[in-house]
Amino acid sequence: MTAWRLTEDAPPPEDGMETSGEPRRRRSSTRLLVVAATVLLTLVGAGGLAIARSGAIFAERPEGCVKPDRTMQLYAVELPKDGTQIRLGYGTSPQTASYPGPTMEMMEGECVAITLHNLVPAATLEQLRTNPAHPLGVSLHVHGVKYTQLSDGTVQSGSFVPPGESRTYTWYAQPRNKKTGSPGTAGYWWYHDHVVGGPHGTQGLGAGLFGGLVVRRPGDPKPDRTYTVVFGDRQSINLRRGAATDTCDAQNPQPGPTCLVARKGEKVEFIVVGIGNDMHTFHLHGHSWADTRTGTVSNGEPFADGVPIIDNKPLGPGDSFGFQVAAGDSVGPGHWMLHCHMQFHSDGGMSTMLHVLDESGAMPPGHDHSHPATAAGAGATTGQHQHN
Ligand SMILES: [Cu+2]
């Protein structure tokens, strides 16, 4: 059967932010002075200082971000329940909210202002609240890049969004700086709520308020598509287990949080994140990657034997990493399993598939596939496999 066919034509990775070109160069000493003076003037003259809910005065933007290069809108919404579980998601529009949320992409040197609109009903937030004294709201807390207290996304700093309100968060992808010793911010990161339910956003995270962030350095390899894979509690991948982790339609697979699909040879990027309380190990069948910042080794460079090539990587809560692989490289099209390698986790349903189609976007004959957990319901009987 050749039902598997990817019809859409090389879309941008998810519906995240697109980078707006190369970061500006602004690094002569004279220029630095001017910038420093501008920062001061901006802070003092243009409302660059703001008073948080707590009453403290904080800078609005990190040093180096004179003004945002880009702005974007982000919406926190309530999604249909998963059984009895309340589900929330971030989206660049209320209609496209999902868990994980949109994949964010920045270039080092870029500064982005993200306005978060809280459309989650107060009653829903009340249900998720673990302590009646805790304020109702959602927030945006990010890992890896720079932000001030006003963009911390916590109750303590007053940087959250009550129901029906909006707030702008500023992220700065600080570049490397030899003078200060800054290592830069390029890497694979994530963002999440830090307020829903309690002071650490545990209920918000558990409900779906999280997403991936990649910060690139000029010259980094660009992928053809990006998938964010979040390993969490109760043997979950993106809060789903078993059959629910993979809802690809064989006739018309649409890339998304529950459909990891690519054509052979496409550069597929994974952003892998751990949430919750469990340790995991991330394993992808048939593909391996370099254990470097980008998960790649530069083409044309002599192979560095000091860089391990791996196909399995430990992942603790709050950890994130990423890599790129050429889909089906040397191994061809097929249904390549992606799972947690802690055996009781994979046995419990912590397993999904990367579907690699041929170059024309079709699944070659003989590659029928059914997930064990879907086999009974879907009536499929071929291609069953064990997840371990
Ligand atoms: Cu696991």
Side-chain angles (χ1 to χ4, degrees):
M1 249 191 65
T2 56
W4 279 86
R5 180 165 283 280
L6 185 56
T7 51
E8 49 80 59
D9 208 23
E14 304 279 275
D15 51 349
M17 309 189 304
E18 292 300 317
T19 55
S20 59
E22 301 289 297
R24 298 183 314 251
R25 302 204 183 278
R26 45 166 104 86
R27 290 295 171 265
S28 78
S29 54
T30 321
R31 193 94 196 269
L32 272 176
L33 279 174
V34 174
V35 170
T38 312
V39 169
L40 270 176
L41 282 173
T42 309
L43 289 178
V44 174
L49 297 171
I51 299 172
R53 281 168 201 279
S54 59
I57 296 176
F58 300 121
E60 250 179 48
R61 292 178 288 276
E63 277 176 53
C65 168
V66 177
K67 75 177 185 55
D69 300 288
R70 277 191 290 147
T71 60
M72 68 175 289
Q73 309 301 311
L74 194 68
Y75 300 82
V77 304
E78 180 167 12
L79 296 169
K81 279 198 174 69
D82 177 6
T84 57
Q85 299 275 342
I86 291 172
R87 290 291 181 234
L88 309 177
Y90 293 115
T92 51
S93 70
Q95 295 76 28
T96 55
S98 59
Y99 51 95
T103 299
M104 307 288 197
E105 189 175 341
M106 297 176 75
M107 286 296 284
E108 265 189 349
E110 237 191 337
C111 187
V112 177
I114 303 166
T115 301
L116 175 64
H117 308 274
N118 180 4
L119 305 184
V120 181
T124 303
L125 294 172
E126 230 172 271
Q127 280 184 63
L128 290 167
R129 184 158 61 178
T130 51
N131 172 354
H134 186 71
L136 298 177
V138 303
S139 82
L140 190 59
H141 173 78
V142 67
H143 288 230
V145 295
K146 302 290 182 181
Y147 50 85
T148 69
Q149 289 269 294
L150 291 176
S151 293
D152 190 31
T154 55
V155 169
Q156 294 89 322
S157 59
S159 52
F160 66 98
V161 193
E165 294 186 23
S166 303
R167 178 184 188 86
T168 299
Y169 295 84
T170 305
W171 297 353
Y172 177 47
Q174 185 191 34
R176 282 189 293 187
N177 185 322
K178 279 184 188 148
K179 271 191 185 153
T180 63
S182 158
T185 51
Y188 290 94
W189 307 106
W190 63 301
Y191 63 91
H192 61 91
D193 169 74
H194 212 298
V195 167
V196 175
H200 298 284
T202 304
Q203 307 301 318
L205 268 163
L209 289 178
F210 52 76
L213 163 68
V214 53
V215 179
R216 302 189 199 284
R217 190 165 284 164
D220 278 359
K222 283 282 189 75
D224 296 305
R225 51 185 80 244
T226 300
Y227 292 114
T228 297
V229 175
V230 178
F231 278 12
D233 292 343
R234 295 181 294 279
Q235 297 88 47
S236 65
I237 296 179
N238 294 339
L239 300 186
R240 301 159 174 105
R241 281 193 302 176
T245 60
D246 181 5
T247 60
C248 272
D249 175 359
Q251 310 295 331
N252 184 24
Q254 292 300 313
T258 57
C259 180
L260 314 184
V261 61
R263 289 186 178 91
K264 184 174 184 294
E266 279 186 328
K267 277 197 254 168
V268 180
E269 178 176 61
F270 287 93
I271 302 175
V272 185
V273 178
I275 63 172
N277 302 291
D278 289 347
M279 291 299 299
H280 305 285
T281 57
F282 174 95
H283 174 50
L284 174 62
H285 285 209
H287 299 75
S288 51
W289 63 92
D291 199 8
T292 60
R293 173 178 63 80
T294 60
T296 61
V297 180
S298 300
N299 272 338
E301 271 186 21
F303 179 75
D305 225 6
V307 176
I309 306 300
I310 58 174
D311 72 356
N312 195 75
K313 188 161 171 137
L315 183 72
D319 283 347
S320 55
F321 65 87
F323 61 91
Q324 294 181 32
V325 293
D329 178 31
S330 160
V331 297
H335 308 280
W336 296 103
M337 211 183 289
L338 181 168
H339 63 91
C340 178
H341 222 303
M342 290 185 77
Q343 297 303 132
F344 79 101
H345 284 182
S346 42
D347 287 349
M350 199 165 182
S351 180
T352 187
M353 288 286 174
L354 170 64
H355 303 280
V356 178
L357 312 179
D358 67 18
E359 287 88 345
S360 72
M363 186 61 77
H367 284 76
D368 279 359
H369 162 260
S370 71
H371 194 286
T374 59
T381 52
T382 55
Q384 294 191 28
H385 51 76
Q386 293 300 309
H387 279 187
N388 51 36

